[in-house]
Amino acid sequence: MGIEFNHLYVTLDRDTLESIAQSDFINQSFCTVSRDTVETDTERWSGIYLRGNYAYLELFPPGGAEGLSEGFSGIGFNTQQAGQIDSVAKKLRGLSAKETFSDLQVRHTQSGKVPWFHYLTLNPSEREAFAAWLMEFHQDYLEYKNIKLTPGGCFDRAAYLKTLDTSETSLFEDISDVHLELTVSEHEELALLLRAFGYHASGLGDITIYRSDGFTVQVSQNAAPRYRIRQIVCTMKEQLHPEKTFTFGDNAQLTVGRELAIWKFG
């Protein structure tokens, strides 16, 4: 169907967040780091962005967006071609009677307001401890950022991140796996979305594994999880450093070695 992973966010205590932001290894070797504030017609959020060549990780403090508390997390996906978001919405309606919600995010820029992306979700009413959604970037925004589509007419994540001054020499390339700890209802809603996106599900003990081309989601259930995103596996450019673990505050750890980097939260 052409639905691909786009980015993740995690809300961390301020000491852990600042420890990551001020790390020499993170800033000089691992990735491009920036502090950004984004404003739309309906929301405003401020956080720290860790950008790779194909994906990025948003790190927020509590209150970085309205309603965010420590441990709150989310995962965003994007369509590759115009109109696919409508196909997913139709498929969701066939899978479940649960209501879907879609809208258009309009971003405030130095040049004025620009239509940014259409989005589709199952939980629009309030800030949730875990959020998952689908985006379809608006043509006006692609033109504003001078983002070219691929020869096949598809949205290009790497081209998008290049417009954000992402370093091509940093180690961080992409995110290949995410391990989630969700409540039963959170898992049920995510499963619906992933099924509509074309993911295939399998089980391994108490863990449910969802796979699509190049991306894996692993879910374990917990009645009251403290952190929803527990682990993120990043692919890296080839590097010669021996395996090493970096600890940031009380709630984040990064282990690098060979061609992978593994974040653990909470």
Side-chain angles (χ1 to χ4, degrees), residues 17 42 51 56 70 104 113 122 174-175 181 183 192 207 219 250:
L17 186 62
T42 57
R51 294 192 174 96
Y56 64 96
E70 183 184 341
L104 172 66
K113 296 182 179 181
L122 293 173
D174 205 352
I175 294 174
E181 197 169 87
T183 65
L192 275 176
I207 298 174
V219 182
D250 294 329

Side-chain angles (χ1 to χ4, degrees), residues 48-66:
I48 291 170
Y49 290 70
L50 309 183
R51 294 192 174 96
N53 292 128
Y54 296 94
Y56 64 96
L57 173 60
E58 291 177 310
L59 301 177
F60 294 118
E66 184 178 358

